[in-house]
Every structure is written in structure tokens, then in C-alpha cells.
Amino acid sequence: MSEPLPPLAAIPAGIASLADYEARAAAHMAADAWAYLQEGTGDGITLAENRKAFARLRLLPRILTDLRGGNTALDLLGRIHEAPLLLGPVAYQRLAHPEGELATVRAATALGTGMVVSTLSSFTLEEIADAARGAAQELGVAVPPLWFQLYLQEDRAFSAELIQRAEAAGYEAVMLTVDASIKRATLTLPPGVDAANLRGMPRLRQTAGAGGRILFGTPLADSAPGWSDLAWVRSQTSLPLLLKGVMAAPDGVEAIAQGVDALVVSNHGGRVLDGMPSALDVMPAIADATGGRVPLLMDGGVRRGTDMAKALALGASSVLLGRPQVHALAVAGLAGVAHMLHMLRAELELTMAQLGCPTPGDISADRLFTAPQ
Amino acid sequence: MSEPLPPLAAIPAGIASLADYEARAAAHMAADAWAYLQEGTGDGITLAENRKAFARLRLLPRILTDLRGGNTALDLLGRIHEAPLLLGPVAYQRLAHPEGELATVRAATALGTGMVVSTLSSFTLEEIADAARGAAQELGVAVPPLWFQLYLQEDRAFSAELIQRAEAAGYEAVMLTVDASIKRATLTLPPGVDAANLRGMPRLRQTAGAGGRILFGTPLADSAPGWSDLAWVRSQTSLPLLLKGVMAAPDGVEAIAQGVDALVVSNHGGRVLDGMPSALDVMPAIADATGGRVPLLMDGGVRRGTDMAKALALGASSVLLGRPQVHALAVAGLAGVAHMLHMLRAELELTMAQLGCPTPGDISADRLFTAPQ
Amino acid sequence: MSEPLPPLAAIPAGIASLADYEARAAAHMAADAWAYLQEGTGDGITLAENRKAFARLRLLPRILTDLRGGNTALDLLGRIHEAPLLLGPVAYQRLAHPEGELATVRAATALGTGMVVSTLSSFTLEEIADAARGAAQELGVAVPPLWFQLYLQEDRAFSAELIQRAEAAGYEAVMLTVDASIKRATLTLPPGVDAANLRGMPRLRQTAGAGGRILFGTPLADSAPGWSDLAWVRSQTSLPLLLKGVMAAPDGVEAIAQGVDALVVSNHGGRVLDGMPSALDVMPAIADATGGRVPLLMDGGVRRGTDMAKALALGASSVLLGRPQVHALAVAGLAGVAHMLHMLRAELELTMAQLGCPTPGDISADRLFTAPQ
Amino acid sequence: MSEPLPPLAAIPAGIASLADYEARAAAHMAADAWAYLQEGTGDGITLAENRKAFARLRLLPRILTDLRGGNTALDLLGRIHEAPLLLGPVAYQRLAHPEGELATVRAATALGTGMVVSTLSSFTLEEIADAARGAAQELGVAVPPLWFQLYLQEDRAFSAELIQRAEAAGYEAVMLTVDASIKRATLTLPPGVDAANLRGMPRLRQTAGAGGRILFGTPLADSAPGWSDLAWVRSQTSLPLLLKGVMAAPDGVEAIAQGVDALVVSNHGGRVLDGMPSALDVMPAIADATGGRVPLLMDGGVRRGTDMAKALALGASSVLLGRPQVHALAVAGLAGVAHMLHMLRAELELTMAQLGCPTPGDISADRLFTAPQ
């Protein structure tokens, strides 16, 4: 196996879409890290659905609309975001680039895009927050919204410590992920890449049977997070709390009843249970059941400004980007991520203009057209 | 990159459909001009939909119908057209052939087919009208309907001047295009090809941000045409006014209220917003909402006489042809365009005969069959 | 171009389905004759639909049914047919084999299968009837039902003469074809192949415009058969009269009112108007509108015993086979056609057994299952 | 043709799914045996549907569920099965491995998985039961549920003898298969492989016409099993009786009325009548008609734990595995089959955890999501 190419120092020519970064990224990553990044579980049905669901929807443009004063900003959990877009939590970004999450957060700062830092980041959450503040100062811009994504650890004390560290480092929200608590690990981390936030904590639980058992009856299943764990997390912080991994409407309703401030509709990039629908396809049911009581975010398959518009038309307040940030990071580091975010933002603005929607809130369901297919 | 082949002096053997011209045309055009002609925006979803929408529909033939007196003529905006077909506005036809729009209009004249001349034509609108009159005299036929397609210019004076020039040159209708006012340019024009009608006018607006902005907040968005611009155009001419780019029924209703004489349902050949439905698929909603108050024209994906019948069965009065005129022009100039128009007309007549429809007005929705697919 | 292989003297090894004959037949026919046989009009949408329509339907088997006394026979227009299957009219069979229709009719006789002889047969209708009688005598079996397919000729006297000749030669029904009266010829017949029944008659009409016209206004359109021509044919014979080419329910209803004894639902093998639905897909509407007043036959895409069952479940009394008879004829002459008919019959019996249907009349709509696809 | 590879002594690297065994199995089997194993009848429509039907369904996960006490066990016909999974009846397993059904049953014993032994097994039913008992003793585990699959023989005495032998050998249920009683044989058994249970009995009936007949009117059709044969089998044993091959709801209702204890919904792996729906697609109708009066089992296309969950969500109590047991057997014998069963079980547990279903009975229809496709 040949060595991966080093990341480029500048944005290469010929990149006009997020897909162009994806096409180039494989050459810049180790083969096993690339496979780990791109894989879907099972037969890849859900991974494919995440793109097909967007492709199925049709956008209905409006003409001759007054676009003066148009902008992409939105208020989300009390903070103005420049666009309905955040960098979602992606683990171990040093697998893609030596500067990993530090490069990503600097790009996010330059573009004013919020970022959700993973529990499994390969720099510590403090290092990442510091990098954002440094970049903001250097560029003379504001620090973008930084959120912390939490995987519950076996010992509540460690989970509590993570939350406290995030608060101390200036993170503005906690996003609890509950859809991947039972999942097989498929990658052995190379030297120099580790779960930086968890140094000194016990190893992550693995799928490993005890006494001939596979999953049920093992500690992995018996200590999987339950609703009481959500209540406990809620009690540990006064920051806004988001719950990531909601796909069924009743779970969303229950989570709101338990004090969650926002839901992230997600199938975890098609990585945990094959055969799940796309987040986009379940949006209407969840939007209907939750009736606007909290903002709905979603991820999975967003690659175009038109995708963002489709998600918003179905009830999302914002989308999260997963793999595309790693593609751009692997190809061209900070510059790549910033360019990628800029392309997506430009596509969104063109889309909004064509739809006759000067603000994100104008993108409603009447911009969707159900074509006979 | 090898030089493109020169256009042929005669119709090549083996051409039996519009698709055959398309297959040969690439060899006769410069690579970048070909890419510009053929491209769809984004992932090409809408470009593909334009053909798939026709392929999905089924035609139900009728037998033993009396076809005596049959003909394809129709009255459109007070003028008899020989068939429910016009050459739609296509910019810069010298990219395909040295004689560009002059060859096209001569072919249109020979076949008695109306032509819509683009604001961005590579000969002036006066030169094109003169060519039509010259050809008509030479062939002893009538000048076909010539319409002028208008892109609003930044300065109303220039727009008004274009309308006045078109009226003076004998154009019989103005078609205002509003669906591409915000779009990125993707082609650098080669030497010898320019926007002939705009010589001496300021450069076209480009998507170029000011002060870090992308689109919103820039002059491009702030001066995009609005409903008041339509009203202004309406006030500038007593010619019939068509509005091109309508896809949503409410926009069609509003345009009629503002005095538009006909609507052109169009997604601009899949070039401006990916994910739009085909014009064919939105025809029923627009026909239903506008209730026959004005004629509906459509373009996008028409390649067969059966496609024309499908469009008419869904409510169109006529179709417009886009890229196919350029394909034929590139391959064989005037002769190619004339041959292409003749093939399509012959296919239409055979289709009408099989459908038992002696006139275009007989092609109603009962000729469509919804098959289980 | 290499010479086609001669027909084989015996059934080749490895043939287990009608598709296997099709796969081998190209090598045994001249390239232009093969293209003419196989082609669909336009983009081949309807040609493909003819197979897809069968593939879409699901058969629901029944178990533990009493199959004693089972058989495939049916009464059709007063005559017992051994199976719900006839060889449909196919022109110019000498293009496939030197013995042409003579080989085909001998195979039909051996298998007890009815045959519809085309107006455009390459042996005369009398020669074909004689061959059937000769084969019947040699084999000690009955002459199978022979029907004559009529294309109306420009002069009624010639049409009347064809009908009289068919009656005199012992044909038992007349099948008037009305769906291809306006169609372009695409094959130049090679030496030794002609329309044997039409020797001495004026040339067939061609699509050829007069005075710059294409179709409308030419003799081809003006003399196309109408309902009065059907009435005239009805008056010329007391034989059962079938009308072939019905796809719309109102046409079927009208034809019955005019005294037609059976309808043949057909899109002419996808050869005349692209975009037509399959005959199978329109069967329910026609069956519903005609309410069992006359038998319904159908053709188009029948290649399997399961296809026959699907057609019968949707209301057909019998199916007709088109191209498959030519495939088998080209490969192995009389033996090929007989083998092909035997395979199809065997498949039908196995299908009926699995469906728990001891007779064709038992194959009703409850044997179809609508699966989510 | 090259010799097949011998079976491996251990599980090869790189196998992570049942499909991986399938991909490797061809190399370990004789070409004709492989073709016989894999084939679907006709055009393979039903064979493909068996997989497509699973792929069409979407699973809706639930979060934060309490998984303590979770397990896959279920009570089926009075016996606890460790998972909703049995090895279904597959004939002639020595075609895949010298140890044939003996290896399979030992693997089943090791994993505690029930096995249905075929009438056409290549070891005798007594040898197979002995092998299970031997393995159980060696491993210190219980003998898993063993059921006997019965094809009715031409002479009732032989059928009765088979049932009595099965009872004597300790089989716990009889599964009468009725969907393949009329089918063509397509494989000539190689030396050393025979229908061990039928030694000394008359040859199996073949599709062979008598007196020019094909199927109807032959002994094969006239003596096909009927409802009275089911009643007779019911009278011959007090063991639980399952009926395999039910696809239509009325047949299921009738079978229950006749005293059948469970239904096996099956299209026989797409081997008997092409065009049948998948068993999965007919489950809802059969579940609805039978209202839980007896357990429903199903087979056809199960390759994933997610497939098992989908079958259960639609009303199945358990699934049966067909071809996958042979794939694993051919590649790696006993070890392969055991590994295959373990993988499937692990996938099921992960699926149940993601669905928030601690027991098989929790997998109800609300875990299915109907996505727009």
C-alpha cells in the first residue's frame, strides 16, 4: 500500500463542489482510515439512502421576489449563527491531517461557522477552544459557537468531568449522542492519534461477550444509556442540551419532556444500523410530533446548498456536516475546510435566491414539489 | 485538445432523430463551448429529469379516426404558427457555427417555424431579422414569427432601448426571462463571439461579493428583477409579453394579473437550480391554476414528436426547443437546423395520426395513460 | 458483414426458454432483417415496457389443489383451441428461413396451435393453408385454427378479394389490423422475399409527402381506414371478425357495437408509436369497459408461461406470439417453432399447477398479488 | 472445468457477513452443484425479489431503552429456541461438503440452533440425529430442536414410514412441504450423493409426459398432494405439524382449520414459480388473515440480522435459513456453519439493541418506517 499524499498547502484547481473534495480525499488518507471514514454499516443501504433522500425531493422556485435585506443568519439556542450550518462532531480528525481539529476549528472561525467537538477528538477540547480563540483574535472576528458532543462514559464521574471541562473551556452547548452507544469498533488508531479528551480514563467499552454471550447480558448492553442517564446529564449543566440520534417521533417528544433544548435527527451517517431511513425522510414526522417546541437539527448526506434548503423546507432549523469536513481537511487542511464551507454557503445563497427566500425562515414546505416518479 | 471539426455542408447520413444530431455535435464544437451548452447545474438532477419526465408518460392511441383535413397549425398570440413549436432563446450561437443565429433563422424561415432571439445573441437582433426577411424573399415564403427574449439590464434605459430596437426590427413579441437573473457565468467567450445586442452597454453583472458578501447584500441580489420590473416592461411595449421561467402556479397567476399575455413554463434547461422538477411535471398545476386564461408554453427536454404531444396533452399550447437547435447547427448549419425541424414535425404528425388527433387542439389529457410502474 | 448461418437441422443443445432462441437467432438472419424484426420505434420505450409490464406483476400460488382433469383447452370463437395461445401475424417469414410461413404452419399443426397468417406473408395464404393440411394428414392430426390477418388495401376490391381468398382457402376468422396503417417502411426486401398475397396489386402506400406536405393532407392520411371501413369489412364476410390494435377502452366498446367478434389488445410490438403502454397494462381498463361481451386477445412481450397466466388473470382469453416464432424459425425451422411452442405450453402447465388452476378459466385476478415495489 | 477447492479447516480471514461466505463458496463446489444451489426458476424475478423485499423496508430505531435482561429466546411449538432462527430444509448437503448434514447439525448443536432435516438429506435422518446427540454430549450442551421435513411419497406407506422413523429418531416436529411437488429436476447427483432416507423406495416422480401429455393428465399432476393428503399426514403423527409453502392467506386459514400447528411462508427460494412475491411481502396479509392463531415462520432472502428483525416486525415468529448454510458449509464445514450462525445472531442482537427491543416479541410493526422511495 502506497503512502498517502501529504495535505496540500493551498486549494487545488478544479474543485467546484463538496463531491470534488471527496473524490480527492482518498489519496490523502491512509487506506484504513479512509475506509473507516467512508464506511456504512451492513450493506450500506442507509448510507446510500442519505443521499437518495435528497435526490428524490424537488424544489419549486419562485420568481421576481424582493431579495433586498436577504441573509442566511438564524438564531439558534440564543446565539446568532451566520448560516443554518454547523460542523458536526467527527472523531479523530488527526487521521486526516496532522493539525486535525485545530485546522478545522480555525476554518470554522474564519467562516463564522459553529463547530461541535467530539468526545473522541484527537486534540483536547481545551486545545480546540484555544485554537478558535487564537484564530478569532488573529482574524479580528468573533469566536464561532463551539458545542461539545458527549458520549456517556461508563463512570458518571468521568462524564461529569467532561461536561465541566467543556463549560470551563467556553463551549456553549452540550450535544449528547445516544445512537452509537452500542457499536463495534472497526479501526485500530495509528500512533499519534488517540482520544485526547479521555486520556487517563478507562478504555472505552467494546463489544465483547462474557460467558458465551454476544451482547445481551453483557456489561455493554446492561449499562447502555437510558432515559435516566439523560435526566442525569440534564442535571449536570445549565448549558443548552441537544440530543443527537433521534429518529422516532415518540423519542423526540419524550426528550423534550425531559428538558432537552433541541433534537438532532440523525442516523449517524449510516454507521450504526443498516436499513434506517434517512434523517431527511423522518423529519416530517418528527416536526409534526414536536410542533416547533424545540429546534430540530439534522445530519446525513448534506452535500449541497440545495440539500440545506430541502432540510429546512421539511422542518430543520439547521444542518450539520459530517464527512465533508474531513474530506476537505485531508486535501488542503484549514484552507480546504474554509473553502468547502464557503462553497456550501454560496450554493445556499443562490438556492435561496432562486427559491425567492431572502431568509432561512422563508424556506417552507411550499418550496417542495412532489413530482411523479 | 484537438480542433473541432468544421460544420458539414450537407446533412450527414444516418441521422434519424434529434439525438443523432446531439451525438455528433460534440465533434463540431470547442470543448468548453460544448460543456457550456450541455451542462446542468449542480449534480444534473434537473437536467436528467427533463428527459425522464417525458419518458414516464404513456400515450394512449385511438384508432380509425378520420384524419382528413388534419394539420398542425395553431393560433398563438394572434398569429398562425405552422406547428406548436418554436426555436427558444439560446445565447451565443456563433459558438456552434460561424453563421450562428443567421443560419438558424434562415432554417426557421424555410420551415415556417417561429424563433425567439436571445438578448445574448451573437449577431444583433437587427441582423437576425434581416436574415429572416432575406431568406423569406429568396424562398418565396412568409417571414416566420420572430420574438425577442429580454434579460433586464441593470439600467432601465438600456432595457427600454432593447425593446424599442426589437419593435423597430419587426419582432412580434417580447419574452422576459426571469429565472436566470442570478447565475454564475461558466464560459469565457472566445474571440469573435460577443453579446452583439449589448455592445456599448455596461458589462453584465456577475456573481461577485462585495465586502466579504457572497450574494445577499450585493448589487446582484439587491437589483434582481422584481414584480415592479415586470410592470415596467409591460408599460414599455404594446407587443404581446411572455414571461419565461414560471414554475410555481401562484407566480403564473400573479403574472397574468400583471398583464402578461403568455407564460413559458421552464427550468432553464436545468441550468439554474438543481433539484427543480421538469417543466412537464409542473404543467398540470399551472394549467389548473391559470384555467386557460393565457397560453402556456414550455421547454426542457423536448426531443421527439411524442414529447410534443405529451406537453400538449398536459396543457401546453406550444413547446420551445433549446439545445437541439445548437446540435443541428453545429453539425450542418442551416441545413442541419432545417432537417432537425422537419424530423420533429414529421414525428409530430405521425404521433397525432396514431393518437387520432387531426389538430393540436385534439391532443387532450385523455390521450395519456397512467401505467403502473 | 458476414453471411448469416444457415438454419439448423435440429434443435440445438442448451435451449431452455424462448429467450435462448432469441439469443441465437441474430446469427441466423441477415443483419438488416434482424434489425427490422427486433426494432422498436422511437427510443424503444414501448418495446421495453412490453417486457417490464409482465415483470412487474406477481403471481400468488395456491397449494394442495386437485389438478385431476386439468387441461389448457379453451373455446374461442366457436372452436376449441388446445391452449390460450396463437401464433400472431408476422410478415415476411422467409426473411428468417427459406421455408418461411410453411415451416411455421407445419409446426403449428404438429402442436395443435392456431396461426394468424399475415397479409404480408411471403408465401400465399393458399400455400400456407395447403401446407397445414398436408402436415395434418401426414401426422394424423387435425388442421389447427387458421386465421387471416388483413391490412386494408387502397382499393376496396383488392381487400374484398383477399377476404374471399382467405374464406376459400379455409381460414376460419379475419383479423383486421388498424394500428399500423400509417407507418414508415424501414426494410428493403431482399430478392426472393415479397408480399406474396399482393402480387399483381398496386404497391403499398408509403409515407411520402405531396406538395411539401408530410403526412396530413397526403393520400396516406386522407385514406387511412376509418370506422366506415370496419363496417365495410364486417359486411364482406360472415367469418368471425377480430380487430387488432385496440388500446383505448372506448375504441373497444365502439368496435363491439360495430359487430366485431373479438378484440386484440396490442401496441404492435412497440413498432408504431413510442410511449404507448404495454397491452398488458391496458387490459384491466378494456376488460372493465367491455364486460366480457367478446373475447379479448393480447400480444406484446409474451415469452413465458407465467406471462400467459398474467395476461389471463387480467382478462385475456388468449395471447398471441410475435417475434418468438421468428426467432425459433430462424434457428431451427419447423423443429425450432414446434420446440418453442412446446416449451411455452409446458411452462404454462407448470404455472397453472402452481397457481392451483386446472383450467385457463380458473386463472382469475385473485392469482395476482400487488407487492410493494 | 477445474476441480473445486476442498473445504477449509478453519474460518478464513476477511469473512464479516453471510454474503462473504456466498462469495467464496462457488470455488468450493462443483460447478453444476453450485448452479443447482443458486438457481432461481424462470428469469430469476422471484429469486431477486427475495432480497429486494428486505432492502425496501426501513427500520426505525428507538433510543435510551433499558436493555437489561434482553435475550433472543422464544417459545416455539412448546420448546424454547435460543433465537428466532432455524436451519431450514436443504437437500443433498454432501454436494457442498463430505460431511454434509452431519457437519451442519453439529454446528447447529454448538450454537443451539434448531435444524429442519430434509427428506432429501444425503445422510439418513437417523445418522443426522445421532450426530446431533454426539455433538451435544461432547460439548456438554442440549440437543437443539430437530424437525423433519416431509415430501409426500407416491405411496402413503412410505410417507408413513418416514414419519415413524423421524418420530423414533427423536425429531420434534414434522414440516410438510407442498410447494415443490411439481417441479423439474435440474441436477444429476454425483456418485456418493443420494437421497439417503429414500433408499429402497421407488424413484421420485419426474416431469415426464405420458401419451403426448406434458403435465395435466399425467400421474405427476393427478397424484399431486391435495388437502386430503394433509389430513392424512395430520392423522399419522401427534408431533407438531408445520405446513411449508403457504403464500396465499386463504390457504393458511384452511391449513389451520385442518389442524396444522404452524405455517411456513415460503416461495421455496425462488425455485418453483417465477413471479411469486417474496415471502416477506405476503407476510402482512397472512398475519392479518390468521390473526395469531398459529406461529408464522418464513424463509427466502434472510441474510442479515436486520432481515430477521424486518420479518418479525411483519408478523413472523422465526425465520429459516436456506442457501447460507450451504455456503458456509462448503467453505469451512462445521466451523463455517457455526461461524455463520454466530454472525447472524450477533447482528440480530445489535439490531434489537438499536431498535430498543430487548426481546423478539418487542419487534413490532412500529419499528418499520415507510420512506418515500
Side-chain angles (χ1 to χ4, degrees), chain B residues 36 82 88 100 143 148 182 193 196-197 224 239 253 258 264 266 301 318 338 349:
Chain B
Y36 170 75
E82 292 204 11
V143 176
F148 179 68
I182 295 178
V193 181
N197 294 318
L239 290 179
V253 170
Q258 303 253 355
V264 184
S266 172
S318 178
E349 295 201 16

PDB file of all heavy atoms in Angstrom, chain B residues 36 82 88 100 143 148 182 193 196-197 224 239 253 258 264 266 301 318 338 349:
ATOM      1  N   TYR B  36     -20.326  24.015 -21.933  1.00  0.00           N
ATOM      2  CA  TYR B  36     -21.234  25.088 -21.531  1.00  0.00           C
ATOM      3  C   TYR B  36     -22.645  24.832 -22.049  1.00  0.00           C
ATOM      4  O   TYR B  36     -23.644  25.028 -21.337  1.00  0.00           O
ATOM      5  CB  TYR B  36     -20.694  26.412 -22.072  1.00  0.00           C
ATOM      6  CG  TYR B  36     -21.634  27.583 -21.934  1.00  0.00           C
ATOM      7  CD1 TYR B  36     -21.852  28.193 -20.701  1.00  0.00           C
ATOM      8  CD2 TYR B  36     -22.303  28.093 -23.051  1.00  0.00           C
ATOM      9  CE1 TYR B  36     -22.709  29.274 -20.591  1.00  0.00           C
ATOM     10  CE2 TYR B  36     -23.163  29.169 -22.947  1.00  0.00           C
ATOM     11  CZ  TYR B  36     -23.371  29.760 -21.709  1.00  0.00           C
ATOM     12  OH  TYR B  36     -24.223  30.825 -21.603  1.00  0.00           O
ATOM     13  N   GLU B  82     -47.176  27.365 -37.760  1.00  0.00           N
ATOM     14  CA  GLU B  82     -47.421  26.157 -38.555  1.00  0.00           C
ATOM     15  C   GLU B  82     -47.435  24.895 -37.702  1.00  0.00           C
ATOM     16  O   GLU B  82     -47.955  23.869 -38.118  1.00  0.00           O
ATOM     17  CB  GLU B  82     -46.385  26.041 -39.669  1.00  0.00           C
ATOM     18  CG  GLU B  82     -46.569  27.144 -40.713  1.00  0.00           C
ATOM     19  CD  GLU B  82     -46.002  26.759 -42.073  1.00  0.00           C
ATOM     20  OE1 GLU B  82     -45.655  25.576 -42.252  1.00  0.00           O
ATOM     21  OE2 GLU B  82     -45.919  27.654 -42.928  1.00  0.00           O
ATOM     22  N   GLY B  88     -36.481  28.193 -29.199  1.00  0.00           N
ATOM     23  CA  GLY B  88     -36.381  29.003 -28.000  1.00  0.00           C
ATOM     24  C   GLY B  88     -35.102  29.823 -27.980  1.00  0.00           C
ATOM     25  O   GLY B  88     -34.197  29.609 -28.795  1.00  0.00           O
ATOM     26  N   GLY B 100     -23.951  31.249 -36.982  1.00  0.00           N
ATOM     27  CA  GLY B 100     -24.739  31.408 -35.762  1.00  0.00           C
ATOM     28  C   GLY B 100     -26.222  31.589 -35.996  1.00  0.00           C
ATOM     29  O   GLY B 100     -26.861  30.839 -36.751  1.00  0.00           O
ATOM     30  N   VAL B 143     -42.193  35.552 -43.689  1.00  0.00           N
ATOM     31  CA  VAL B 143     -41.286  35.625 -42.543  1.00  0.00           C
ATOM     32  C   VAL B 143     -41.981  34.943 -41.364  1.00  0.00           C
ATOM     33  O   VAL B 143     -43.155  35.231 -41.092  1.00  0.00           O
ATOM     34  CB  VAL B 143     -40.964  37.096 -42.200  1.00  0.00           C
ATOM     35  CG1 VAL B 143     -40.096  37.178 -40.950  1.00  0.00           C
ATOM     36  CG2 VAL B 143     -40.269  37.767 -43.384  1.00  0.00           C
ATOM     37  N   PHE B 148     -38.541  38.493 -29.394  1.00  0.00           N
ATOM     38  CA  PHE B 148     -37.293  38.901 -28.754  1.00  0.00           C
ATOM     39  C   PHE B 148     -37.313  38.525 -27.275  1.00  0.00           C
ATOM     40  O   PHE B 148     -38.252  38.852 -26.554  1.00  0.00           O
ATOM     41  CB  PHE B 148     -37.079  40.410 -28.898  1.00  0.00           C
ATOM     42  CG  PHE B 148     -35.816  40.879 -28.239  1.00  0.00           C
ATOM     43  CD1 PHE B 148     -34.567  40.502 -28.748  1.00  0.00           C
ATOM     44  CD2 PHE B 148     -35.847  41.667 -27.100  1.00  0.00           C
ATOM     45  CE1 PHE B 148     -33.397  40.915 -28.134  1.00  0.00           C
ATOM     46  CE2 PHE B 148     -34.671  42.083 -26.478  1.00  0.00           C
ATOM     47  CZ  PHE B 148     -33.446  41.701 -26.998  1.00  0.00           C
ATOM     48  N   ILE B 182     -29.945  35.502 -11.571  1.00  0.00           N
ATOM     49  CA  ILE B 182     -28.825  35.283 -10.647  1.00  0.00           C
ATOM     50  C   ILE B 182     -28.215  33.932 -10.959  1.00  0.00           C
ATOM     51  O   ILE B 182     -28.762  32.895 -10.650  1.00  0.00           O
ATOM     52  CB  ILE B 182     -29.295  35.323  -9.183  1.00  0.00           C
ATOM     53  CG1 ILE B 182     -29.796  36.722  -8.867  1.00  0.00           C
ATOM     54  CG2 ILE B 182     -28.175  34.912  -8.246  1.00  0.00           C
ATOM     55  CD1 ILE B 182     -30.323  36.897  -7.471  1.00  0.00           C
ATOM     56  N   VAL B 193     -16.844  36.134 -30.686  1.00  0.00           N
ATOM     57  CA  VAL B 193     -18.196  35.868 -30.184  1.00  0.00           C
ATOM     58  C   VAL B 193     -18.469  36.836 -29.037  1.00  0.00           C
ATOM     59  O   VAL B 193     -17.713  36.879 -28.067  1.00  0.00           O
ATOM     60  CB  VAL B 193     -18.349  34.416 -29.692  1.00  0.00           C
ATOM     61  CG1 VAL B 193     -19.773  34.165 -29.212  1.00  0.00           C
ATOM     62  CG2 VAL B 193     -17.952  33.430 -30.772  1.00  0.00           C
ATOM     63  N   ALA B 196     -23.851  40.612 -29.017  1.00  0.00           N
ATOM     64  CA  ALA B 196     -23.882  41.652 -30.049  1.00  0.00           C
ATOM     65  C   ALA B 196     -24.871  42.759 -29.723  1.00  0.00           C
ATOM     66  O   ALA B 196     -24.615  43.937 -29.989  1.00  0.00           O
ATOM     67  CB  ALA B 196     -24.206  41.023 -31.414  1.00  0.00           C
ATOM     68  N   ASN B 197     -25.994  42.389 -29.130  1.00  0.00           N
ATOM     69  CA  ASN B 197     -27.016  43.398 -28.839  1.00  0.00           C
ATOM     70  C   ASN B 197     -26.598  44.373 -27.747  1.00  0.00           C
ATOM     71  O   ASN B 197     -27.198  45.427 -27.601  1.00  0.00           O
ATOM     72  CB  ASN B 197     -28.324  42.723 -28.388  1.00  0.00           C
ATOM     73  CG  ASN B 197     -28.950  41.920 -29.502  1.00  0.00           C
ATOM     74  OD1 ASN B 197     -28.982  42.354 -30.648  1.00  0.00           O
ATOM     75  ND2 ASN B 197     -29.444  40.722 -29.166  1.00  0.00           N
ATOM     76  N   ALA B 224     -31.910  42.491  -8.344  1.00  0.00           N
ATOM     77  CA  ALA B 224     -32.562  41.429  -9.111  1.00  0.00           C
ATOM     78  C   ALA B 224     -33.985  41.869  -9.465  1.00  0.00           C
ATOM     79  O   ALA B 224     -34.646  42.543  -8.672  1.00  0.00           O
ATOM     80  CB  ALA B 224     -32.595  40.135  -8.289  1.00  0.00           C
ATOM     81  N   LEU B 239     -46.471  45.193 -27.622  1.00  0.00           N
ATOM     82  CA  LEU B 239     -46.370  43.839 -28.167  1.00  0.00           C
ATOM     83  C   LEU B 239     -46.849  42.834 -27.126  1.00  0.00           C
ATOM     84  O   LEU B 239     -46.823  43.114 -25.930  1.00  0.00           O
ATOM     85  CB  LEU B 239     -44.913  43.512 -28.522  1.00  0.00           C
ATOM     86  CG  LEU B 239     -44.297  44.250 -29.714  1.00  0.00           C
ATOM     87  CD1 LEU B 239     -42.848  43.818 -29.893  1.00  0.00           C
ATOM     88  CD2 LEU B 239     -45.108  43.958 -30.990  1.00  0.00           C
ATOM     89  N   VAL B 253     -50.244  32.939 -11.840  1.00  0.00           N
ATOM     90  CA  VAL B 253     -51.488  33.691 -11.608  1.00  0.00           C
ATOM     91  C   VAL B 253     -51.185  35.179 -11.458  1.00  0.00           C
ATOM     92  O   VAL B 253     -51.853  36.041 -12.043  1.00  0.00           O
ATOM     93  CB  VAL B 253     -52.207  33.141 -10.353  1.00  0.00           C
ATOM     94  CG1 VAL B 253     -53.364  34.044  -9.954  1.00  0.00           C
ATOM     95  CG2 VAL B 253     -52.683  31.707 -10.609  1.00  0.00           C
ATOM     96  N   GLN B 258     -50.792  40.807 -13.827  1.00  0.00           N
ATOM     97  CA  GLN B 258     -49.977  41.969 -14.195  1.00  0.00           C
ATOM     98  C   GLN B 258     -49.976  42.211 -15.701  1.00  0.00           C
ATOM     99  O   GLN B 258     -49.180  43.026 -16.192  1.00  0.00           O
ATOM    100  CB  GLN B 258     -48.538  41.746 -13.728  1.00  0.00           C
ATOM    101  CG  GLN B 258     -48.405  41.488 -12.244  1.00  0.00           C
ATOM    102  CD  GLN B 258     -47.815  42.680 -11.502  1.00  0.00           C
ATOM    103  OE1 GLN B 258     -47.434  43.661 -12.130  1.00  0.00           O
ATOM    104  NE2 GLN B 258     -47.790  42.606 -10.181  1.00  0.00           N
ATOM    105  N   VAL B 264     -44.228  31.041 -20.089  1.00  0.00           N
ATOM    106  CA  VAL B 264     -43.337  29.975 -20.540  1.00  0.00           C
ATOM    107  C   VAL B 264     -42.867  29.217 -19.306  1.00  0.00           C
ATOM    108  O   VAL B 264     -42.088  29.733 -18.497  1.00  0.00           O
ATOM    109  CB  VAL B 264     -42.133  30.518 -21.330  1.00  0.00           C
ATOM    110  CG1 VAL B 264     -41.291  29.358 -21.860  1.00  0.00           C
ATOM    111  CG2 VAL B 264     -42.604  31.406 -22.480  1.00  0.00           C
ATOM    112  N   SER B 266     -40.680  26.788 -17.523  1.00  0.00           N
ATOM    113  CA  SER B 266     -39.300  26.427 -17.882  1.00  0.00           C
ATOM    114  C   SER B 266     -38.434  26.351 -16.649  1.00  0.00           C
ATOM    115  O   SER B 266     -38.581  27.156 -15.724  1.00  0.00           O
ATOM    116  CB  SER B 266     -38.735  27.508 -18.826  1.00  0.00           C
ATOM    117  OG  SER B 266     -37.354  27.294 -19.057  1.00  0.00           O
ATOM    118  N   GLY B 301     -36.215  19.472 -22.502  1.00  0.00           N
ATOM    119  CA  GLY B 301     -36.239  18.037 -22.750  1.00  0.00           C
ATOM    120  C   GLY B 301     -37.020  17.593 -23.962  1.00  0.00           C
ATOM    121  O   GLY B 301     -37.110  16.389 -24.216  1.00  0.00           O
ATOM    122  N   SER B 318     -47.783  25.211 -26.912  1.00  0.00           N
ATOM    123  CA  SER B 318     -46.645  25.022 -27.802  1.00  0.00           C
ATOM    124  C   SER B 318     -45.429  24.712 -26.956  1.00  0.00           C
ATOM    125  O   SER B 318     -45.390  24.990 -25.756  1.00  0.00           O
ATOM    126  CB  SER B 318     -46.391  26.291 -28.625  1.00  0.00           C
ATOM    127  OG  SER B 318     -45.257  26.129 -29.463  1.00  0.00           O
ATOM    128  N   ALA B 338     -32.724  23.007 -40.386  1.00  0.00           N
ATOM    129  CA  ALA B 338     -33.949  22.775 -41.153  1.00  0.00           C
ATOM    130  C   ALA B 338     -34.337  21.296 -41.106  1.00  0.00           C
ATOM    131  O   ALA B 338     -35.511  20.942 -40.933  1.00  0.00           O
ATOM    132  CB  ALA B 338     -33.753  23.231 -42.602  1.00  0.00           C
ATOM    133  N   GLU B 349     -46.528  14.687 -36.652  1.00  0.00           N
ATOM    134  CA  GLU B 349     -47.685  14.314 -37.472  1.00  0.00           C
ATOM    135  C   GLU B 349     -48.002  12.823 -37.340  1.00  0.00           C
ATOM    136  O   GLU B 349     -49.169  12.420 -37.223  1.00  0.00           O
ATOM    137  CB  GLU B 349     -47.451  14.707 -38.933  1.00  0.00           C
ATOM    138  CG  GLU B 349     -47.348  16.230 -39.091  1.00  0.00           C
ATOM    139  CD  GLU B 349     -47.614  16.714 -40.519  1.00  0.00           C
ATOM    140  OE1 GLU B 349     -48.159  15.946 -41.338  1.00  0.00           O
ATOM    141  OE2 GLU B 349     -47.277  17.886 -40.801  1.00  0.00           O
TER     142      GLU B 349
END
